[in-house]
Amino acid sequence: MSGRAEVWLFIAQRASAFVLAPLVIVHLATMIYAIQGGLSAEEILARTQGSGVWGAIYGLFVLAAAIHAPIGVRSIVREMTPWRGRSLDLAAVLFGVLIVVLGVKAVGALV
Amino acid sequence: MTTETVSEQEFEVEIWRGRDSGEFVTYRVPQRESQTILDVVSHVQRRLDPTLSYRFACRVGMCGSCAMTVNGVPRWTCRTHVDLVAKDGHIRIEPLRNLPVIRDLAVDMVPFFDKWERATGQFVPSDAGNRQTFARVPPESRERQEADAGIECIGCAVCYSACDVVAWNADYLGPAALNRVWTLVNDTRDGGKPEHLAAVAGDAGCHQCHSHQACMTYCPKDINPTAAIAGLKRATVRSVLRGEL
Amino acid sequence: MTEHSITRHQTDILILGSGGAGLFAALHAHKADPDLDITVAVKGLLGKCGCTRMVQGGYNVAIGTGDSVERHFMDTIEGGKWLNNQDLAWTLINTAIERIHELENELGCFFDRNQDGSIHLKAFAGQTYDRTVHKGDLTGIEIINRLAEQVWARRINRLEEHRAVALVPASDGSRISGVLLIDVRDGSFHFVQAKAVLLAAGGGPTMYRYHTPSGDKTCDGMAMALRAGLTLRDMEMIQFHPTGLIAGRETRITGTIIEEGLRGAGGHLLNGEHERFMEKYDSRGERATRDIVSRAMFEEMRQGRTGPNDGLFITMRHLDHDLVRRQFKGMVERCADCGFDLVDGLVEVVPTAHYIMGGVEYDTSCRTSILGLYAAGEDTGGVHGANRLGGNGVANSTVFGGIAGDAMSPWVNAEGTFAEPDQSVIDATLERTLHPFGKPQGNLLDMRERLEDIMWDDVGIIRDPERLNRARQSLADLEAELNETGVAASDRAFNLTWHDWLNLDSLILVSKSITEAALARENSRGAHYREDFPEEGDLETSYFTTARLSDGKIDVGTSPVEFTRVRPGESLIREESAVA
Amino acid sequence: MKYAVALRNHPTYWAFVLHRVSGLALAVFVPVHLYTLSLAVEEAARFDAFLEWTEAPAVKIGETLLVVLLAGHMVGGLRLLALEFLEWRDWQKSVVAITLGIALVCGLLFLMNAF
Ligand SMILES: Cc1cc2nc3c(=O)[nH]c(=O)nc-3n(C[C@H](O)[C@H](O)[C@H](O)COP(=O)(O)OP(=O)(O)OC[C@H]3O[C@@H](n4cnc5c(N)ncnc54)[C@H](O)[C@@H]3O)c2cc1C
Ligand code: HEM
Ligand code: SF4
Ligand code: F3S
Ligand code: FES
């Protein structure tokens, strides 16, 4: 992989991390708040359905995670297993796509 | 004169003998007031087993030839007092990690130097023929301070040996080489910035560092390669965003 | 004869040693003709051994406003007590100006600056101007690191951990043919045939009980030069540094330098009874020059007023602790690592052998008397005369290393050829170096210590004929004993004990030349002090000693110094009034 | 083994281990989480059954762990971002401790609320 591409991956991972940070805080906060006194499907859906804000938040979350996680996993695999090269890069991309697909479905259902 | 009748105190050290395969051999070494790990190793070679191989030169922490692994941790042995490491009365000495072993405690440092070279760890003159003047560089300037922070590296490879990323990624340039390049990037006299940044950007370069900070933890010269590498990460990002890399 | 099998190599230029002299020669030779095949062979790792790396104080060069080449030259000649080869000294001082700019602007050395960004020049004892360029107190690390990087980056071959054991002449004796080396790592022999060879193995007075140089330096270059029939000059001139650390014989730290600046900053020297003594010897007290302080300390030690390790003490405890801690950070830490408290305690010190002013005779183009063999750096003699100014050592090695490189490339292209080696020299060297494997093992450490005692006690800081004659005999005995002492034949690979043997072999030979030269000089100049001849003698008829090996014996002679640029009593400095 | 740990026994290395383990765990958990979420939401009954299952103490503990990992990874990640993009400061080791602290507090809050 060229030097430039490697730097772009680094930028993408750090930028997505930067985006994820506030989203995770929001997510953690609502989770801690939401489970007070147990929770049901209705309650969750009542909060999220029809809300553009929640849709945007979780949409962005999924997107950022889909960029962030595969890059991280790729470097873990490269360092800790003998797997490297094109096939690994492709697998990482597929992993990202998987997150997007699952994420879009989940967010779609919630909103 | 003190009348000493008790025989001198001794302690045990385990020393690696062999190459990639080999074994630890235990020796009993007399305890002395001023005694470095290098002295222990020398005692074994000079008095107990003349076939022991190791390396040193300056004896005072200037040449970076004498680094070994002592109780699991890489150290400059000529400046490591026995008391510092023998807290539980036990010492185990091995060659440096992450470099091929030549014999016993001596490693082949060529990969380390080669990476220094590959990282473009050498000055690129911008004023080559000048035999009259010196560039003006105020000592308080930020660049000079950054350069000074890392420039006294003695190339001992302690950091290189301590870094797990070096162990995981055989191509990784390693903390010392990257630290040197950072001093050059901050050297206002250096004319090779684009080459330096290009050389440290690849998949062997600064972005492979996970900030373990083992390098700065163990560097005997209190150099901070982690900060230098972070500086290179920023510099390369900036130059990619500007479309220069 | 499989065990004598020798691998052969060819290279246009072979450089022995990777100090300031060796590395500069490699770079200059490469620059002069990048197509030449250049090889640096070195006993340790390239750039990580030798003494250039250990330079603390700095690099003398006459670039300050008000300073001049003439002034630096006169300081050098007066410091050298008029024994210098003046043409060599003149070349040194002129070329140093070019070299320091090259170091800074081309190789990347980043020397210290003044507040306004201009280059900082500091004071060094014995000089009329502040002219010492430096990088903190670790100037040598900066210089050698930068040189080594540049060498790594070029197509220059490296034979690391290859120890030269003989300069081999051509079979017809007309020129150099190459060098026989031992690959330390596997113990094999290599003959490197070369059109030109540079001897830059850096001397180093490590035959004294207390010494400063790095462990790899054992006068191999000078020993090889003697064996090749070259003449060494000024060998009695051994410089002692007043304050070496002493912590017992069993630690390698013993002998290493405690910075001179400590005395300058007001440090006190105490004897074993914890009393100051320097005032007895010189009105300047601790701030007197290196040779005077060393001699006073030696005298005090001879009187038996010593500390637990037979040394004296330096202390800073009467000074502001924070100031000491700040100003001498590196030194304080180094002492602490070996268990001493420099700030608030007593640190035991001893004068320690630092530098050999003498060495191979050569000319201003670094040529020796053997065609194709060049020499530079501490292996050579003549530049410093009877005493070396602090800061002129690293200037010497870098200046003449570069000159040698400049000279060798064109010479190789014009007249260089690969000559067939004199096989008898190779055979004799194999015989000599493999000799210990056939002998019963002995205690080499004990022999090394005996050598150090002989040289320290009898050929040391204060000399007299009785002791020198005793040393002559002891050295002969020790040599005979070494020849009957063997090394375990188990494995030649990285066999340090074998190399300890070879080190002793070189050291004893060179010690003999020091002893003979010291006997021959019947006056006291610079570093050489004869109790029976305490006067410096007539300056006008100054002579230098020469030593050669013939039939296994050192032949000494003397030659008159030629005052080619300035005569005793004269000065090249015109505006005399400006001198402080 | 003792020696292998000795080399790595410094705060910033442990911070790395935590970050890597948490990153990996999250990378495994996120797709699973998204999948169950979308499945469940489509059939509210199943979602409720799912939520009921999450009331089991063992599952609660597991979830708490995930919260700790997420919080720890985030704070550790912020530490790395600061280290890489801000000027160097000598507070690295304290930041490692703060990271750990915040992660544990999040876990505690979650636990307290959960029961
Ligand atoms: C502690 C210390 C401090 C000093 N401080 C100063 C100072 O402040 N200012 C100053 O001007 N001078 C100083 N000097 C003196 C200065 O270091 C030397 O004069 C100068 O560096 C010598 O350079 P060189 O290249 O001749 O030798 P070195 O730098 O010593 O290099 C010699 C090289 O030859 C190699 N070698 C030796 N034997 C063999 C062999 N058999 N085969 C192959 N290679 C061999 C060595 O391994 C080494 O690489 C100091 C010296 C010491 C020891
Ligand atoms: C959904 C959430 C997240 C997942 C799945 C995730 C996953 C990962 C993974 C697998 C790694 C690789 C670890 C390694 O290289 O050792 C990683 C690294 C990283 N993560 Fe996250 N992460 C998430 C959220 C965050 C957040 C919120 C931040 C910070 C704000 C963050 C910051 C980082 C950083 C900086 C790295 C690089 C570490 C390094 O290279 O050593 N991550 N992440
Ligand atoms: S950075 Fe420190 S540990 Fe690494 S080689 Fe340089 S001096 Fe040694
Ligand atoms: S130890 Fe290695 S991972 Fe980075 S911070 Fe130092 S280079
Ligand atoms: S021997 Fe030179 S650094 Fe230890």
Side-chain angles (χ1 to χ4, degrees):
Chain A
M1 181 143 316
S2 83
R4 199 182 318 116
E6 201 66 32
V7 184
W8 275 118
L9 283 183
F10 176 80
I11 293 172
Q13 220 226 4
R14 297 316 191 251
S16 56
F18 198 73
V19 170
L20 277 168
L23 299 178
V24 167
I25 292 172
V26 170
H27 184 59
L28 280 174
T30 43
M31 260 201 328
I32 291 170
Y33 168 76
I35 56 165
Q36 261 175 340
L39 76 179
S40 69
E42 272 92 334
E43 279 165 20
I44 293 177
L45 293 176
R47 195 171 58 241
T48 57
Q49 249 161 7
S51 160
V53 176
W54 283 112
I57 286 177
Y58 283 108
L60 196 60
F61 198 124
V62 164
L63 208 66
I67 295 171
H68 180 87
I71 301 177
V73 173
R74 171 179 170 271
S75 67
I76 296 179
V77 171
R78 283 207 311 180
E79 282 165 6
M80 303 200 144
T81 75
W83 189 11
R84 243 130 275 214
R86 265 286 144 85
S87 57
L88 174 60
D89 296 344
L90 195 70
V93 172
L94 288 178
F95 182 49
V97 170
L98 178 75
I99 293 180
V100 173
V101 170
L102 290 175
V104 166
K105 266 184 79 178
V107 175
L110 278 172
V111 180
Chain B
M1 281 304 275
T2 49
T3 47
E4 235 181 335
T5 43
V6 278
S7 67
E8 46 191 2
Q9 287 275 334
E10 291 192 336
F11 60 92
E12 274 188 0
V13 321
E14 276 182 280
I15 296 181
W16 176 257
R17 303 302 309 271
R19 296 179 168 87
D20 290 337
S21 64
E23 56 176 357
F24 285 98
V25 176
T26 303
Y27 302 90
R28 295 194 63 79
V29 174
Q31 202 173 330
R32 312 229 183 263
E33 206 174 325
S34 300
Q35 188 175 34
T36 63
I37 295 297
L38 179 63
D39 294 330
V40 171
V41 170
S42 300
H43 179 91
V44 172
Q45 179 250 330
R46 300 200 289 194
R47 305 243 188 226
L48 305 177
D49 184 346
T51 63
L52 178 66
S53 307
Y54 58 103
R55 184 188 287 127
F56 77 100
C58 72
R59 319 175 270 147
V60 281
M62 295 182 110
C63 71
S65 304
C66 66
M68 301 167 201
T69 306
V70 185
N71 286 357
V73 167
R75 293 183 180 278
W76 56 357
T77 56
C78 69
R79 290 271 303 263
T80 300
H81 198 283
V82 166
D83 290 350
L84 184 76
V85 286
K87 295 211 175 65
D88 57 354
H90 187 84
I91 296 176
R92 173 191 260 199
I93 309 174
E94 299 166 72
L96 279 187
R97 193 173 76 117
N98 292 342
L99 288 164
V101 179
I102 296 175
R103 202 184 127 151
D104 301 342
L105 301 172
V107 292
D108 184 0
M109 294 187 76
V110 164
F112 177 76
F113 301 137
D114 280 354
K115 287 182 182 178
W116 191 297
E117 199 244 295
R118 228 181 301 149
T120 66
Q122 58 282 137
F123 183 73
V124 179
S126 57
D127 198 10
N130 183 346
R131 296 286 182 271
Q132 248 71 54
T133 57
F134 300 92
R136 273 194 182 259
V137 187
E140 309 297 339
S141 62
R142 205 191 61 82
E143 285 93 347
R144 174 77 207 222
Q145 301 251 314
E146 283 281 359
D148 267 353
I151 208 166
E152 278 172 10
C153 166
I154 56 171
C156 63
V158 159
C159 54
Y160 187 85
S161 164
C163 176
D164 265 348
V165 175
V166 174
W168 295 334
N169 177 354
D171 294 330
Y172 178 49
L173 295 169
L178 293 170
N179 175 70
R180 171 61 181 139
V181 175
W182 179 239
T183 64
L184 287 166
V185 168
N186 282 289
D187 188 335
T188 46
R189 311 163 308 156
D190 185 279
K193 227 134 286 174
E195 294 97 295
H196 292 315
L197 292 183
V200 299
D203 50 10
C206 59
H207 303 101
Q208 310 307 310
C209 162
H210 295 288
S211 307
H212 293 177
Q213 290 169 255
C215 49
M216 61 172 288
T217 303
Y218 296 115
C219 172
K221 298 281 298 176
D222 283 334
I223 288 170
N224 185 344
T226 311
I229 293 168
L232 288 175
K233 287 174 179 168
R234 288 195 298 275
T236 43
V237 164
R238 217 174 295 129
S239 116
V240 160
L241 293 180
R242 289 200 195 121
E244 290 164 1
L245 198 83
Chain C
M1 285 270 286
T2 50
E3 69 166 12
H4 287 189
S5 72
I6 299 175
T7 315
R8 273 204 177 218
H9 313 255
Q10 272 192 346
T11 189
D12 292 320
I13 296 176
L14 174 63
I15 292 164
L16 302 179
S18 72
L23 294 182
F24 247 106
L27 291 174
H28 274 225
H30 181 267
K31 193 175 179 187
D33 183 354
D35 291 331
L36 287 179
D37 188 82
I38 299 167
T39 303
V40 179
V42 43
K43 201 172 176 183
L45 300 178
L46 188 137
K48 296 181 84 64
C49 51
C51 292
T52 308
R53 207 185 167 85
M54 298 173 75
V55 164
Q56 298 185 315
Y59 192 116
N60 279 352
V61 54
I63 51 173
T65 36
D67 199 3
S68 66
V69 167
E70 286 78 11
R71 224 178 260 292
H72 185 185
F73 178 75
M74 287 311 298
D75 281 350
T76 302
I77 300 296
E78 270 155 20
K81 304 294 173 201
W82 296 91
L83 294 194
N84 318 57
N85 174 318
Q86 297 192 352
D87 289 336
L88 289 172
W90 186 254
T91 306
L92 168 75
I93 281 142
N94 276 284
T95 318
I97 297 176
E98 178 184 329
R99 204 63 89 234
I100 201 75
H101 287 97
E102 186 179 353
L103 279 164
E104 166 82 33
N105 295 331
E106 216 152 306
L107 301 169
C109 292
F110 214 166
F111 296 117
D112 279 357
R113 299 297 205 269
N114 296 312
Q115 230 32 55
D116 68 353
S118 60
I119 201 93
H120 182 245
L121 298 169
K122 74 171 180 187
F124 221 136
Q127 310 194 29
T128 55
Y129 256 79
D130 296 351
R131 62 166 71 97
T132 306
V133 172
H134 66 111
K135 171 77 191 74
D137 56 3
L138 297 173
T139 311
I141 294 180
E142 181 66 5
I143 291 177
I144 285 291
N145 276 358
R146 305 299 76 97
L147 281 167
E149 288 165 6
Q150 297 291 344
V151 169
W152 291 334
R154 286 169 175 72
R155 281 182 27 256
I156 292 171
N157 310 307
R158 294 180 249 165
L159 290 174
E160 291 183 298
E161 286 172 335
H162 278 61
R163 172 192 194 129
V165 285
L167 303 168
V168 182
S171 51
D172 62 1
S174 63
R175 58 171 67 218
I176 193 80
S177 162
V179 176
L180 188 65
L181 301 121
I182 297 171
D183 179 347
V184 176
R185 295 181 185 182
D186 63 10
S188 60
F189 283 88
H190 297 253
F191 177 69
V192 181
Q193 194 177 28
K195 294 174 182 166
V197 172
L198 176 70
L199 183 64
T206 53
M207 65 283 279
Y208 285 87
R209 192 189 299 156
Y210 311 111
H211 57 256
T212 66
S214 61
D216 50 302
K217 294 225 296 189
T218 52
C219 295
D220 296 343
M222 292 177 177
M224 286 189 289
L226 281 170
R227 292 202 169 96
L230 294 174
T231 301
L232 307 186
R233 59 170 286 176
D234 296 326
M235 287 306 288
E236 72 278 23
M237 299 301 176
I238 308 294
Q239 183 171 66
F240 286 82
H241 192 289
T243 47
L245 199 61
I246 179 171
R249 272 208 127 144
E250 297 290 329
T251 175
R252 293 210 188 256
I253 207 104
T254 283
T256 59
I257 286 186
I258 296 258
E259 201 174 296
E260 296 213 86
L262 293 173
R263 283 184 293 124
H268 288 169
L269 289 171
L270 308 178
N271 61 22
E273 283 134 34
H274 295 196
E275 288 160 357
R276 283 179 78 189
F277 58 87
M278 270 313 299
E279 266 103 4
K280 276 192 297 193
Y281 298 89
D282 194 288
S283 58
R284 286 166 293 179
E286 280 84 356
R287 290 193 169 103
T289 52
R290 272 185 194 178
D291 48 336
I292 292 172
V293 178
S294 297
R295 229 170 297 155
M297 291 173 74
F298 192 75
E299 192 53 46
E300 209 66 16
M301 290 165 64
R302 277 219 293 212
Q303 310 277 338
R305 290 192 282 271
T306 54
N309 289 306
D310 302 329
L312 305 165
F313 299 104
I314 191 165
T315 183
M316 311 293 285
R317 62 183 173 192
H318 53 287
L319 301 171
D320 177 9
H321 290 187
D322 286 337
L323 189 83
V324 173
R325 224 172 264 126
R326 221 173 324 120
Q327 203 176 343
F328 300 100
K329 183 166 177 283
M331 224 58 242
V332 170
E333 281 169 7
R334 195 193 280 184
C335 287
D337 286 347
C338 357
F340 300 110
D341 180 0
L342 184 60
V343 179
D344 196 26
L346 300 177
V347 178
E348 204 171 350
V349 291
V350 69
T352 173
H354 189 39
Y355 190 91
I356 307 183
M357 269 70 75
V360 175
E361 279 205 286
Y362 71 131
D363 70 9
T364 52
S365 305
C366 297
R367 287 176 300 204
T368 68
S369 57
I370 298 177
L371 187 64
L373 177 68
Y374 293 71
E378 202 177 325
D379 268 346
T380 64
V383 177
H384 310 295
N387 216 341
R388 173 185 70 92
L389 297 184
N392 269 6
V394 60
N396 174 52
S397 57
T398 53
V399 161
F400 286 101
I403 290 177
D406 294 337
M408 286 188 291
S409 283
W411 181 83
V412 160
N413 285 329
E415 306 175 43
T417 69
F418 288 117
E420 269 312 299
D422 182 340
Q423 192 59 39
S424 70
V425 171
I426 293 181
D427 290 343
T429 307
L430 287 176
E431 159 78 31
R432 183 170 52 80
T433 52
L434 290 170
H435 174 86
F437 291 119
K439 296 284 174 186
Q441 274 186 68
N443 187 342
L444 290 173
L445 175 60
D446 174 61
M447 295 179 68
R448 173 79 182 248
E449 292 187 344
R450 265 152 56 211
L451 170 67
E452 294 178 349
D453 290 343
I454 295 168
M455 294 305 286
W456 177 259
D457 293 328
D458 293 345
V459 199
I461 296 173
I462 299 176
R463 298 163 177 175
D464 64 55
E466 193 191 326
R467 288 165 197 275
L468 289 171
N469 278 311
R470 187 167 67 197
R472 176 190 272 169
Q473 188 54 48
S474 319
L475 288 171
D477 294 346
L478 196 62
E479 185 173 41
E481 190 180 334
L482 182 67
N483 282 325
E484 294 309 315
T485 306
V487 170
S490 57
D491 191 348
R492 284 184 202 163
F494 228 111
N495 186 333
L496 293 187
T497 305
W498 181 24
H499 290 278
D500 284 342
W501 192 98
L502 295 168
N503 290 343
L504 263 171
D505 190 41
S506 296
L507 285 171
I508 292 174
L509 179 59
V510 176
S511 297
K512 283 163 71 178
S513 71
I514 297 172
T515 308
E516 296 304 325
L519 270 165
R521 176 169 295 284
E522 299 195 324
N523 58 32
S524 294
R525 291 265 179 117
H528 173 73
Y529 187 82
R530 282 276 296 258
E531 244 172 352
D532 51 334
F533 294 105
E535 302 303 323
E536 66 179 5
D538 180 29
L539 289 180
E540 276 293 333
T541 56
S542 293
Y543 58 88
F544 61 90
T545 64
T546 56
R548 296 174 57 112
L549 188 66
S550 68
D551 296 330
K553 286 193 56 176
I554 302 284
D555 267 353
V556 276
T558 59
S559 293
V561 175
E562 290 177 44
F563 303 113
T564 53
R565 289 179 187 269
V566 61
R567 306 193 67 80
E570 294 172 358
S571 173
L572 293 186
I573 307 168
R574 261 160 273 131
E575 65 299 28
E576 199 67 46
S577 56
V579 181
Chain D
M1 190 53 209
K2 183 169 122 200
Y3 298 111
V5 174
L7 174 68
R8 297 172 178 85
N9 194 12
H10 53 99
T12 50
Y13 194 88
W14 291 116
F16 161 77
V17 172
L18 180 75
H19 197 249
R20 178 152 281 192
V21 168
S22 59
L24 202 56
L26 290 172
V28 172
F29 172 74
V30 163
V32 176
H33 183 56
L34 292 174
Y35 180 66
T36 47
L37 212 56
S38 57
L39 263 192
V41 172
E42 276 158 23
E43 296 168 54
R46 268 178 68 184
F47 192 33
D48 276 331
F50 172 72
L51 286 175
E52 222 159 90
W53 173 71
T54 63
E55 289 296 319
V59 180
K60 273 276 181 276
I61 302 285
E63 284 184 327
T64 308
L65 193 68
L66 273 170
V67 167
V68 172
L69 288 179
L70 182 58
H73 186 84
M74 178 200 65
V75 187
L78 285 173
R79 166 187 160 266
L80 287 170
L81 288 173
L83 185 158
E84 285 174 339
F85 292 101
L86 303 179
E87 287 293 303
W88 183 268
R89 306 246 154 59
D90 282 325
W91 37 237
Q92 285 308 319
K93 301 241 156 102
S94 358
V95 173
V96 173
I98 294 170
T99 307
L100 212 65
I102 294 182
L104 291 177
V105 167
C106 285
L108 214 62
L109 277 177
F110 181 81
L111 260 186
M112 274 166 27
N113 284 328
F115 287 104

